Amino acid sequence: MKLTLGPVLFYWSRSHLLQFYADMIEQPLQTIYLGETVCSKRRALSLDDWLGLARELRQQREVEVVLSGLALVEAASELSALKRLCDNGELMVEANDMGAVQLLAERQQPFVAGPALNLYNAHSLRELQQCGMQRWVPPVECSGRLLQDCLQQLDDLQVPRPEVELFAYGHMPLAYSARCFTARAENRPKDDCQFCCQNFAEGLLMESQEGEPLFTLNGIQTMSAKVCDLLPDYPALQAGGVDRLRLSPRAEDMALVIARYAAVCGGAQPPASSEGCNGYWYGQPGMINVQEVSS
Amino acid sequence: MKLVCPAGSLPALKAAVNEGADAIYVGFRDDTNARHFNGLNLDDRQLDEALQLIRQRGRQLYIAVNTYAQPQGWERWQRAVDRAADLGVDALIAADPGVLAYATQQHPDLNLHLSVQGSATNAQALAFYQQRYNIRRAVLPRVLSLAQVRQVAQSSSVPLEVFAFGSLCIMAEGRCHLSSYVTGESPNLCGVCSPAKAVRWQQEEDGLSSRLGGVLIDRYRRDEPAGYPTLCKGRFVVDGQRYHALEEPTSLNTLDLLPELQRIGVCAVKIEGRQRSPAYVQQVTRVWRQALDNLHAGRDGSEQAGTWQQALARLSEGSQTTLGAYHRSWQ
């Protein structure tokens, strides 16, 4: 299976991002997604900067670069920015909103359907394939069974399967809101957020009153507090029709994570249990670790 | 502006009709609709009776088939669409592109509304559903500011329906997996958020605790009113502070925004609450009917506004209401 680096979901500074990608281009990754998917106020890098970075990365090594679009597109300015992204003329785009699907279909540009799109059956997948979808990143709550059923249903409909990229590692994006929860936690209005999410390289932990880690606040996005890790399930993913594994950037130790996944892709024995949670893959609550629960 | 009211049962539907709802939306008794709770929704016999009443009284019936279809059981969604078409309902409310495509192909005359679960928050997303499925109306998620609603209305030819009153969903609908993360069941796939079977109440030494899927959602002192343990309305700890980190238990109430919604050109206002009692539906519909009649007659309504607001406050979560995302400062 191929390894993919998802877009950075947190707000990192320009220097942090550039250093991160300088490190990442050394890693055994086949695809790198660039761009801002969470909040349009985060502008450490402009579209031109992202395109420039993409060219640099591709000069250094043969790697596919995809530009990811915003998930929650509300303001007219956000829609204009999305149009510019879809008009970039160089790179494939990951659509995370139906607005992006519409823009890309109008331009007859092939695209990746990101995890924020609600595609749960072959009839819907066929609809998006008609719009130009090449690759499908299923919603994070999609189970292995549901994925299998979708692929079988595509076969039954005699529709070619898209390439499947599964969210395999990282804090899972779970919800999007108009409200900025990081600004709220800092007692700031969203309109005067002072970019406070830049203070939290891996989001802000939200725990229950009993100290159980529950969610990660990341601006307008709510993520899992636990880190999804499907490495022990590698054989099932491979057998289940997954072509690519998406590793979602974290602030520390990504090189180590990639090395673990690359080793298993290269034939090493997968670990016996997940270092994070993997419930969704088994059709269980996303927060549980199935091997832990059953042992 | 039309008044669209919820009905999770035949008595609720009758109450909405009697109090002057222009349209009533209901769901079938399965996971094809996003309010799939035990004992809720209408069976075939009740639907026939509902339709008869609605036709007699010159109102409209909408059917919500607004969860996302899964390959296993795809036929259920097909049947739901066919049944709605056979009934001759005034609109089918759907979100799934596959379901919308099926409805368009099999029943080209069926009037389609994009469900709030479709999560369309901008003109291009609306264009997608309009061009491909000929939707005649779209329900906007509760995440847009009033200025953004105006902007979307100006740049799209799809007539818009917005939420007026009821539980406040603070996440973009159709884009929230919080419930499945904790309970395994999601609004998109199962038609439930924070399912009742995952809820546990426990009287403890220091008060009452509410849990969802084992996770402590809130703990109440003896004198505190307790709310349903929804993940986005609990009290949690962030950076050492215990508070409603996402949202307080409160209801959306846009009564004060009605004149502006009319100026924007919004075609319908929607009351949330298919899970609510007939008495609730009756009281909410009565207030909103009066407010809309008042508005349409060009009266300012300031004399009754206090009474209406009091009535709505009594029906709200925690007796609190908010303008939610419509008001920028909330965000």
Side-chain angles (χ1 to χ4, degrees):
Chain A
M1 269 190 281
K2 292 175 178 169
L3 290 181
T4 282
L5 187 70
V8 170
L9 301 177
F10 305 105
Y11 191 23
W12 293 350
S13 67
R14 182 185 177 86
S15 57
H16 187 170
L17 282 168
L18 294 178
Q19 184 57 54
F20 177 74
Y21 287 112
D23 294 343
M24 286 301 108
I25 197 63
E26 309 287 327
Q27 305 301 323
L29 296 160
Q30 277 79 39
T31 301
I32 296 178
Y33 287 73
L34 300 178
E36 176 58 46
T37 63
V38 178
C39 176
S40 60
K41 292 172 86 174
R42 298 174 175 183
R43 292 193 202 105
L45 267 65
S46 67
L47 176 59
D48 283 343
D49 291 335
W50 288 118
L51 288 168
L53 176 60
R55 281 180 217 122
E56 271 177 47
L57 295 174
R58 293 204 292 183
Q59 262 170 17
Q60 290 179 55
R61 196 161 63 75
E62 198 178 309
V63 62
E64 180 198 36
V65 182
V66 179
L67 278 180
S68 294
L70 207 60
L72 183 59
V73 181
E74 300 180 312
S77 57
E78 291 167 349
L79 203 51
S80 316
L82 189 63
K83 276 183 193 153
R84 288 197 300 279
L85 187 87
C86 296
D87 279 331
N88 79 78
E90 288 178 52
L91 301 173
M92 187 146 80
V93 170
E94 175 183 62
N96 279 307
D97 179 273
M98 281 303 190
V101 171
Q102 173 69 10
L103 290 166
L104 293 158
E106 282 172 1
R107 286 158 179 70
Q108 299 187 315
Q109 293 292 319
F111 64 89
V112 179
L117 295 183
N118 287 326
L119 300 168
Y120 295 99
N121 64 71
H123 296 272
S124 291
L125 288 167
R126 179 168 63 181
E127 289 297 301
L128 263 75
Q129 281 178 320
Q130 287 169 4
C131 295
M133 180 187 79
Q134 308 282 308
R135 187 182 299 163
W136 173 39
V137 189
V140 292
E141 68 176 1
C142 186
S143 67
R145 171 73 190 276
L146 182 53
L147 173 59
Q148 269 289 290
D149 289 346
C150 282
L151 296 177
Q152 182 61 51
Q153 197 185 23
L154 281 167
D155 295 348
D156 294 344
L157 293 171
Q158 297 184 316
V159 174
R161 294 180 172 195
E163 208 186 4
V164 176
E165 177 174 323
L166 195 71
F167 190 102
Y169 180 88
H171 293 282
M172 291 181 283
L174 296 175
Y176 301 87
S177 175
R179 175 175 269 182
C180 177
F181 301 111
T182 310
R184 179 174 166 86
E186 300 273 294
N187 282 315
R188 292 180 190 283
K190 184 185 184 184
D191 287 339
D192 183 27
C193 69
Q194 306 271 326
F195 305 107
C196 53
C197 52
Q198 208 166 64
N199 299 331
F200 307 101
E202 211 167 307
L204 188 52
L205 177 65
M206 181 181 123
E207 298 173 290
S208 80
Q209 294 177 44
E210 293 175 314
E212 181 177 9
L214 192 56
F215 296 126
T216 298
L217 306 181
N218 177 35
I220 63 135
Q221 185 181 61
T222 308
M223 314 170 85
S224 61
K226 286 188 184 151
V227 169
C228 167
D229 176 26
L230 298 182
L231 194 54
D233 309 299
Y234 185 89
L237 305 185
Q238 199 173 30
V242 176
D243 303 294
R244 290 166 184 264
L245 298 180
R246 171 172 294 203
L247 312 178
S248 187
R250 295 182 63 195
E252 306 282 339
D253 298 333
M254 269 320 276
L256 218 65
V257 171
I258 296 166
R260 284 174 56 224
Y261 273 79
V264 173
C265 289
Q269 187 72 17
S273 74
S274 170
E275 289 189 4
C277 59
N278 59 357
Y280 275 139
W281 176 256
Y282 292 90
Q284 301 280 323
M287 69 190 292
I288 71 168
N289 179 322
V290 168
Q291 287 93 3
E292 248 173 41
V293 169
S294 59
S295 67
Chain B
M1 275 186 293
K2 301 288 184 204
L3 178 59
V4 182
C5 293
S9 67
L10 194 55
L13 182 135
K14 287 176 178 168
V17 169
N18 287 336
E19 296 298 336
D22 295 303
I24 296 98
Y25 64 103
V26 301
F28 292 119
R29 277 198 165 162
D30 61 16
D31 56 356
T32 61
N33 88 84
R35 284 286 184 280
H36 177 219
F37 300 130
N38 277 342
L40 215 61
N41 302 310
L42 279 66
D43 64 23
D44 284 355
R45 187 190 56 75
Q46 291 166 330
L47 275 168
D48 290 337
E49 192 181 332
L51 205 58
Q52 209 180 350
L53 174 71
I54 277 180
R55 292 287 172 250
Q56 276 169 7
R57 304 286 291 269
R59 313 302 168 77
Q60 295 198 314
L61 184 70
Y62 301 164
I63 295 235
V65 179
N66 58 345
T67 47
Y68 286 86
Q70 292 132 80
Q72 292 282 335
W74 163 252
E75 300 74 22
R76 264 202 314 287
W77 277 265
Q78 279 181 317
R79 268 204 312 275
V81 171
D82 295 340
R83 173 80 175 124
D86 293 346
L87 282 167
V89 297
D90 299 286
L92 175 80
I93 309 170
D96 185 308
V99 170
L100 286 162
Y102 176 79
T104 311
Q105 285 149 16
Q106 297 296 316
H107 309 284
D109 296 330
L110 186 56
N111 187 33
L112 297 178
H113 291 181
L114 180 68
S115 166
V116 67
Q117 294 296 122
S119 212
T121 52
N122 58 74
Q124 287 295 332
L126 291 171
F128 172 84
Y129 295 103
Q130 187 179 38
Q131 287 174 20
R132 291 191 73 85
Y133 313 117
N134 191 27
I135 58 162
R136 312 281 178 83
R137 188 187 291 181
V139 187
L140 292 181
R142 281 161 273 192
V143 292
L144 296 176
S145 68
L146 206 53
Q148 286 165 346
V149 174
R150 189 182 305 117
Q151 175 69 40
V152 171
Q154 282 169 356
S155 50
S156 170
S157 58
V158 178
L160 302 177
E161 177 174 320
V162 301
F163 274 91
F165 186 80
S167 272
L168 176 65
C169 195
I170 62 166
M171 305 301 182
E173 288 97 330
R175 307 274 193 91
C176 180
H177 305 308
L178 298 190
S179 178
S180 68
Y181 181 66
V182 170
T183 72
E185 295 194 19
S186 75
N188 280 0
L189 293 175
C190 307
V192 288
C193 171
S194 310
K197 67 180 178 205
V199 171
R200 292 284 177 276
W201 295 96
Q202 215 169 348
Q203 197 65 51
E204 293 169 0
E205 254 176 48
D206 42 358
L208 183 69
S209 71
S210 63
R211 284 172 197 278
L212 187 75
V215 172
L216 183 68
I217 302 299
D218 213 339
R219 212 168 244 163
Y220 302 94
R221 293 188 315 266
R222 293 196 189 282
D223 54 343
E224 266 184 319
Y228 188 85
T230 312
L231 280 159
C232 55
K233 308 253 175 89
R235 268 177 296 199
F236 302 102
V237 177
V238 179
D239 201 13
Q241 300 290 313
R242 169 184 171 273
Y243 65 110
H244 290 104
L246 302 174
E247 173 62 328
E248 283 86 10
T250 178
S251 291
L252 176 72
N253 177 8
T254 65
L255 200 63
D256 290 341
L257 303 181
L258 271 185
E260 185 55 23
L261 292 171
Q262 188 182 41
R263 269 194 291 278
I264 286 171
V266 164
C267 76
V269 288
K270 182 175 204 116
I271 308 295
E272 185 274 349
R274 279 191 277 154
Q275 71 281 23
R276 302 289 190 150
S277 69
Y280 175 94
V281 172
Q282 179 190 33
Q283 292 168 59
V284 177
T285 306
R286 183 179 297 166
V287 170
W288 282 86
R289 181 72 273 158
Q290 288 173 15
L292 280 171
D293 286 348
N294 206 71
L295 181 76
H296 295 154
R299 295 190 292 265
D300 86 344
S302 51
E303 282 170 26
Q304 295 127 293
T307 320
W308 294 335
Q309 292 291 14
Q310 279 169 17
L312 294 177
R314 280 196 297 274
L315 301 163
S316 302
E317 277 184 70
S319 299
Q320 294 184 76
T321 63
T322 173
L323 290 173
Y326 290 118
H327 202 268
R328 184 79 195 172
S329 63
W330 177 92
Q331 304 191 11

